[in-house]
Amino acid sequence: MTDDCTLCELPIRGDPLTDPDTEGSFCCQGCLEVYRTLGDVDPEEVSARDLDAEASDAEAVEVRDDAETAFLTVDGMHCTACEAFLESTAGDTDGVYDVEASYTTEMLKVTYDPERTDPEAVGESVSRLGYRANTPEVGTAAAEEERFGRDELRTVLGLLGAMAVMMIYVLFVYPSYLGIYPESFLRESATHVMVFVPIPLISTFVVFLVGYPILRSAYVSLRAGKPNMDVLIAGGALAAYGYSMYEVLTGGIVIYFDVAVAIVAVVTLGDFVQRRVKRRALGSVGDLDFDRVTEALVRDESGAHTVDVSDLEPGDETVVKRGERVPLDGTVVEGEAAVDEALVTGESVPETKEPGDSVIGGSIATDGRLVVSVGEKAESTYDRLLAQLWNVQSGSGGSQRLADTIAALFVPFVLGLAVVVAGAWLALGAPVREAVTIGVSVLVVSCPCSFGLATPVAVAAGVSRAADEGVVVTNTSAVESLADVDVVAFDKTGTLTEGRMRVTDVAAPDTDEREVLRYAAAVERDANHPVADAIVARADEHASDASGQAVADGGAVADMETTDRNESEADDGDVPRVTDFEEHRRGASGTLDGTRVLVGHPDLFAEDWTLPESVARAVADVQDAGAIATVVGWDGEAKGVLATRDTPRADWEQTVEALAAEGRTIVVVTGDDQSEVTEFEAHPDVDDVFAGVLPQAKAAVVERLRGADGTVAMVGDGTNDAPALAAADLGVAFASGTELATEAADATVTKGGLRSVRRLFGIAETTRSRVRQNFGWALGYNVFTLPTAALGFIDPLLAAVAMAASSLLVVANSSRSFGLGDD
């Protein structure tokens, strides 16, 4: 019977690791160290809240396994109330399991039964009351420009109409009200036609056509039971328009068409500016792309031809040549090649794949040619981009939920206040016109929109700035919550290090160092792993050194992911090739000039080979220094040791120090041996280093950290870190060709390395500060203006200007420079 690891609860392969002072048995040294350090915190208790929430969601909607997800762009969304209305309307369509609407992206995410309905039917169900639902065109500017052009046209028409009305007011109406013209001036037949015919006509056009999105938004918000600011705006504009139209029809001359038109024009202009800022803030995220596989060579009965990855279907046979990436997950049906799956397994040595073996999309065929049959869950790049765009732009953090609650309560309060104020003025003997005007002013001057904008615009600006810094934020709530992180856990390889190996030293106690390097390179030239690449690169550098100097420390660097080698003998310099090459699990061997040469891990020399004491001491010295010891031997005896190590990123110490200075606990989690992390362990700002942790156990480590220390952010590189990234409260991934880590992470670093990670934390701090500033302004503005309007000191026109200015101030505060400086 196989025992399970006490920490990660995975089966233990081989003999379990135990410790006299620690209860339990463990699958790896890393799990033992984590348990010894953090104790018996139950990770299930840490995630209880999340699991309960997921369970309740699962109970609410039963979705079949074959359900599909589609995205629709919806033109005409005016506010967050449209979300509830569209969700309710689309949700009534037969065959629809779940609908999520996002005002931020103006998109619908629909989960449906493909046998009962389709996206077109769902789109038709919501394409009424001015909404238009269509299949989105990701990455194309034409559709976005068309929609933006309609907003621009409506704004221009509203402003032109308002200017025409205001011009008539300035020339004729205001002078009469101020006594410059006699009271009879407006009653003269010619003047009456010039004033009271065009003004009502133009005002009707502006209020009901230009202002249609506002009126529709007010209607759907009331129908959805979530009254929004447009209820107040529409109420104020319609009250002023209705009263004025009554005056015209009954022969009166005191009209407030200017107020109605100004309210609609100013609010439309404000909405246009807000949309423009939002699109600019979010647009850079949509423009970001990954170094992903976009095309695949497909083999079928007609031959081989290239297709888009998005067109691949399960069972399609794709041809993967040497050095190319596997486009999608699948199974090898033909060929044999060493496949680099370090992104998934964390193992730097490529694994040989042959027919029947499964391969991961994004892994690299380092040699040979493969034919891969696409797996059952083929996912198109098109769908992945849609899902990513949705996640980036549609998240809702705690601050946004608070803002939505405030706005929902605020609107009914203001409606009641306006009625009470108007009634109070009437009771005090004020004329009906004055009481109505003051009531309209209260409606118009209130600004629940500033509460609604406080979070999303600030977060959108933060997401945009993060994108400028090379970080794609795939969960917008992370921009808010990242500032509250207590523990930052770093993966080592590819995160704190560059993921590149280099030879730092050659030790040959009883042999010429150059000879050791020459023999090692002869074998490793046919191998496929990062250490081999580094050894060959160092030997090539030595061979090209005309001066014949001894090998110097800090030689050439070989990329850990792939090294493009020229196979011609002319480029091999003085480094010979071996025959009878053979790869072992932790090394390689071959025959050179009739002599068998073995290169690899010291354990390879435990049987049938002699390991002299001088070489054993050199191995210990290399490992104590935190490097990888590669032993080289021939004639049945180990002759020397090559020290190779992953290159730490130049700014890893700066990053650790900056995050620790803000009071955060810094932890390093790695699958490498303890001897390879001494440099990080010795740093005073690194609190814990957990070495020897298998990729599948990293998630358990993160759960333990959450239980022991609080909120945890995990920073990792490849998809071998995906479970840990998903288990953390917040995950930050370095971009990879497969993008699998991106799906598990809340943010993905596409450029800038650790500098971008530091800046992401700075952006999060600034974003949270601005959200609080916006809330403070929104609260202060309404506390001041509502009593002022109720006392009659603000007329409706000034109220409209003040309301729009309040929202624009929130937008301006959120959009200003982040001032991160240079680091």
Side-chain angles (χ1 to χ4, degrees), residues 177 232 235-237 239-241 243-244 247 254-260 263 417-419 421-423 425-426 430-445 786 788-800:
Y177 291 169
L232 306 181
Y241 175 86
Y243 178 83
S244 301
E247 280 284 294
V254 180
I255 54 177
Y256 291 99
F257 287 114
D258 57 335
V259 174
I263 290 173
L417 179 63
V419 173
V421 167
W425 278 90
L426 284 173
V432 175
R433 296 171 183 172
E434 183 178 356
V436 170
T437 300
I438 294 175
V440 170
S441 297
V442 172
L443 287 176
V444 175
V445 80
L786 283 176
T788 304
L791 293 174
F793 295 114
I794 299 178
D795 63 33
L797 180 58
L798 179 59

Side-chain angles (χ1 to χ4, degrees), residues 308-324:
D308 290 337
V309 170
S310 58
D311 294 331
L312 290 177
E313 296 181 356
D316 286 348
E317 294 186 351
T318 61
V319 179
V320 183
K321 300 178 181 178
R322 176 184 179 182
E324 293 182 346

Side-chain angles (χ1 to χ4, degrees), residues 277-560:
V277 170
K278 183 183 73 174
R279 284 171 176 157
R280 183 173 67 237
L282 299 176
S284 57
V285 178
D287 292 338
L288 285 175
D289 203 353
F290 292 90
D291 181 19
R292 67 185 188 282
V293 182
T294 58
E295 294 183 337
L297 184 62
V298 175
R299 187 184 71 175
D300 54 24
E301 296 178 355
S302 63
H305 55 278
T306 301
V307 301
D308 290 337
V309 170
S310 58
D311 294 331
L312 290 177
E313 296 181 356
D316 286 348
E317 294 186 351
T318 61
V319 179
V320 183
K321 300 178 181 178
R322 176 184 179 182
E324 293 182 346
R325 293 185 184 274
V326 178
L328 295 174
D329 295 356
T331 303
V332 177
V333 296
E334 181 182 311
E336 181 176 320
V339 177
D340 182 358
E341 292 187 340
L343 294 172
V344 180
T345 64
E347 175 61 52
S348 59
V349 179
E351 183 177 350
T352 299
K353 298 290 184 178
E354 54 189 21
D357 293 336
S358 60
V359 289
I360 301 297
S363 57
I364 301 171
T366 60
D367 63 356
R369 171 183 174 275
L370 295 175
V371 177
V372 178
S373 175
V374 176
E376 295 181 359
K377 296 183 179 180
E379 181 185 22
S380 71
T381 302
Y382 181 79
D383 290 338
R384 191 182 328 178
L385 283 176
L386 279 173
Q388 184 184 71
L389 188 63
W390 173 273
N391 291 332
V392 169
Q393 300 179 352
S394 304
S396 178
S399 297
Q400 182 57 42
R401 290 190 291 271
L402 173 62
D404 293 340
T405 301
I406 292 175
L409 296 174
F410 188 72
V411 172
F413 167 76
V414 173
L415 287 172
L417 179 63
V419 173
V420 170
V421 167
W425 278 90
L426 284 173
L428 293 174
V432 175
R433 296 171 183 172
E434 183 178 356
V436 170
T437 300
I438 294 175
V440 170
S441 297
V442 172
L443 287 176
V444 175
V445 80
S446 63
C447 191
C449 186
S450 56
F451 284 111
L453 291 172
T455 297
V457 178
V459 170
V463 169
S464 176
R465 181 55 192 268
D468 293 339
E469 295 293 336
V471 182
V472 178
V473 179
T474 53
N475 178 7
T476 53
S477 63
V479 178
E480 295 180 69
S481 51
L482 198 62
D484 297 321
V485 165
D486 301 306
V487 181
V488 182
F490 287 96
D491 172 56
K492 183 182 81 73
T493 305
T495 304
L496 292 177
T497 66
E498 295 181 359
R500 298 188 297 173
M501 304 297 293
R502 65 189 179 105
V503 176
T504 59
D505 193 19
V506 180
D510 305 312
T511 310
D512 187 352
E513 293 179 357
R514 289 173 293 182
E515 195 70 3
V516 169
L517 182 61
R518 178 173 176 271
Y519 273 92
V523 174
E524 298 286 38
R525 188 170 294 280
D526 291 324
N528 287 282
H529 55 83
V531 172
D533 294 341
I535 292 173
V536 172
R538 181 64 179 270
D540 287 344
E541 180 187 74
H542 176 267
S544 63
D545 188 353
S547 63
Q549 295 179 347
V551 177
D553 287 348
V557 176
D559 194 295
M560 199 170 200

